[in-house]
């Protein structure tokens, strides 16, 4: 039917007839400047570069008011980046649509060798008009504040790991190797305290490194305590509690998952969440050839790390330990049922795959992928306190 009428529907689309009349604005935001481009409605509408403005609220307000006065309601977009969500919140408050887009999912032309702020802004405006950009989920200010604190603890944990590594590396170079069972146990720390070097410079080095480890551990623990105090007032607290019903997800792991994933309900099915976490196999297929590679590692590395670490606990047989039992008291029966079902399935799966000769790291990733799906199911059973945070 559509074909028989010739080019009319296509012409109608090209002229913007029957399509939305909204003007699309692309912004390439940097610390000091924002490059701005405007795409007129319709596939053949003009895409113009407007120039650069300073990245200041006043300059942004003046620009939006000028463009809004000329074109009516605007649809603005910019890439997620180090400047955060301030721009999005300001433009939304001025009464216009503003989308923050995922930079990794912006289509890039092969062979494009020139990249400038001007071109980036024009490309964003054009792609936004075509509906080719993928929006990211934007946390509200309270969720963002909690996420900042939780990310600070993750960074502190990384500092502990690095400073411990430096100390052990220094000792290994000088043939000081601990023969006990576990590093950083009380016995290991006593052994460290008893070490001495002939040269004062090396003794100073040992002391400095030991102090660095102790300070990093104190900072990590301090941040952990502050998170515990603040979580109870967070709207996402019920979801944090519910996720802890699962084996391998204790308090801090649950907090990281909720902070990074945010509203689980934005994923229509668990496959979308698993893809967002980068836990799906990469694929490079052409013609009859199908090649599956390692996981994509797209999306959120912090949430993925927590799940992969938690997946190791499924190598033991399924049982409700005292630790898990204590965490089950505050959760509804539906959540308990999902968590137990997850344990039965994943413990069996872990053992079977290892028995079949699969690499243990691969098995762990497979279990982490399913853990994410069960976590999605649990999070959907529980409503955030008050409004979704």
């Amino acid at each position: 039917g559509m074909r028989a009428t010739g080019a009319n529907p296509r012409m109608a689309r090209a002229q913007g007839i029957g399509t939305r009349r909204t003007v699309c604005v692309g912004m390439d935001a940097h610390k000091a400047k924002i490059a701005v481009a405007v795409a007129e409605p319709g596939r053949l509408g003009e895409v113009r570069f407007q120039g650069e403005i300073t990245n200041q609220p006043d300059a942004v307000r003046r620009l939006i008011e000028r463009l809004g006065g000329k074109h009516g309601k605007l649809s603005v977009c910019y890439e997620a980046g180090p400047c955060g969500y301030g721009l999005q919140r300001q433009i939304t408050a001025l009464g216009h649509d503003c989308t923050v887009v995922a930079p990794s999912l912006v289509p890039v032309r092969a062979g494009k060798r020139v990249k400038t702020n001007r071109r980036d802004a024009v490309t964003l405006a054009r792609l936004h008009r075509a509906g080719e950009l993928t929006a990211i989920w934007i946390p509200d200010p309270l969720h963002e504040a909690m996420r900042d604190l939780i990310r600070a603890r993750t960074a502190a944990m990384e500092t502990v790991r690095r400073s411990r590594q430096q100390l052990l590396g220094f000792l290994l170079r000088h043939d000081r190797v601990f023969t006990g069972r576990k590093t950083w146990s009380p016995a290991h720390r006593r052994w460290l305290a008893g070490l001495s070097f002939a040269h004062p410079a090396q003794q100073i080095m040992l002391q400095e490194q030991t102090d660095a480890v102790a300070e990093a551990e104190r900072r990590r623990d301090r941040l952990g305590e502050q998170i515990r105090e603040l979580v109870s007032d967070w709207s996402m607290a019920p979801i944090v509690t519910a996720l802890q019903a699962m084996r391998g997800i204790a308090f801090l792991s649950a907090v990281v998952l909720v902070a990074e994933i945010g509203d689980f309900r934005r994923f229509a099915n668990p496959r979308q969440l698993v893809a967002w976490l980068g836990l799906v196999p990469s694929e490079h297929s052409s013609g009859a050839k199908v090649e599956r590679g390692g996981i994509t590692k797209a999306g959120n590395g912090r949430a993925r790390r927590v799940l992969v670490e938690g997946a190791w606990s499924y190598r033991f047989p399924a049982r409700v330990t005292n630790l898990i039992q204590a965490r089950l008291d505050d959760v509804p029966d539906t959540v308990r049922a999902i968590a137990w079902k997850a344990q039965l399935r994943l413990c069996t799966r872990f053992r079977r795959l290892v028995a079949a000769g699969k690499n243990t790291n691969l098995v762990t990733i497979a279990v982490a992928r399913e853990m994410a799906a069960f976590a999605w199911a649990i999070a959907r059973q529980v409503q955030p306190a008050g409004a979704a945070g």
Side-chain angles (χ1 to χ4, degrees), residues 53-321:
I53 59 167
T54 55
N55 193 347
Q56 297 289 340
D58 283 353
V60 172
R61 182 180 47 76
R62 283 197 301 275
L63 171 88
I64 296 298
E65 283 174 355
R66 194 177 84 238
L67 291 176
K70 186 177 174 186
H71 301 292
K73 196 167 167 76
L74 307 170
S75 184
V76 185
C77 76
Y78 68 96
E79 288 183 336
C83 300
Y85 308 111
L87 192 56
Q88 191 271 348
R89 289 182 184 135
Q90 186 188 359
I91 292 167
T92 308
L94 290 167
H96 299 280
D97 290 332
C98 183
T99 307
V100 184
V101 303
S104 60
L105 299 176
V106 173
V108 178
R109 270 205 208 104
K112 184 180 139 193
R113 307 306 275 175
V114 178
K115 184 190 175 303
T116 63
N117 297 352
R118 179 185 182 133
R119 285 192 178 197
D120 285 349
V122 167
T123 304
L124 280 174
R126 185 183 291 113
L127 290 171
H128 189 40
R129 180 180 67 187
E132 294 286 327
L133 299 175
T134 307
I136 65 161
W137 175 78
I138 296 166
D140 65 25
L142 177 65
H143 190 105
E144 193 184 3
M146 281 301 292
R147 193 164 76 176
D148 286 340
L149 178 63
I150 290 155
R151 283 182 177 179
R153 190 195 167 272
T154 305
M157 216 167 66
E158 196 54 36
T159 307
V160 169
R161 194 186 61 75
R162 250 199 321 275
S163 47
R164 284 176 171 186
Q165 197 75 41
Q166 284 170 349
L167 174 54
L168 292 179
F170 165 68
L171 293 175
L172 181 61
R173 280 199 305 281
H174 297 285
D175 282 334
R176 309 294 171 92
V177 178
F178 179 60
T179 53
R181 286 180 58 192
K182 199 170 191 300
T183 48
W184 308 108
S185 61
H188 181 237
R189 289 172 194 273
R190 282 195 301 275
W191 174 79
L192 282 174
L195 289 174
S196 63
F197 283 89
H199 199 286
Q202 289 173 332
Q203 196 61 42
I204 290 167
M205 171 73 173
L206 173 66
Q207 195 53 51
E208 283 293 331
Q209 293 278 28
T210 311
D211 290 348
V213 171
E215 177 48 44
E217 287 172 344
R218 280 197 297 275
R219 185 160 162 268
R220 176 199 63 191
D221 297 343
R222 255 197 326 269
L223 285 163
E225 282 163 26
Q226 284 158 352
I227 289 166
R228 276 181 198 281
E229 283 171 23
L230 290 171
V231 158
S232 53
D233 298 331
W234 189 22
S235 63
M236 299 302 244
I239 298 173
V240 171
T241 305
L243 287 179
Q244 289 176 70
M246 285 184 71
R247 183 178 194 154
I249 302 182
F251 173 74
L252 286 163
S253 299
V255 160
V256 170
L257 281 176
V258 172
E260 298 298 341
I261 294 169
D263 189 354
F264 280 79
R265 292 169 301 184
R266 66 197 171 104
F267 298 105
N269 56 52
R271 285 191 307 281
Q272 287 180 2
L273 171 60
V274 170
W276 182 81
L277 288 165
L279 283 168
V280 292
S282 56
E283 187 172 322
H284 187 95
S285 301
S286 178
K289 182 189 74 173
V290 176
E291 277 184 11
R292 285 270 174 91
I295 55 168
T296 61
K297 292 193 181 178
N300 197 294
R302 293 179 187 90
R304 182 171 62 249
R305 179 189 58 79
V306 162
L307 287 166
V308 172
E309 283 181 5
W312 278 102
S313 65
Y314 286 90
R315 66 191 186 280
F316 302 114
R319 71 189 187 92
V320 177
T321 59

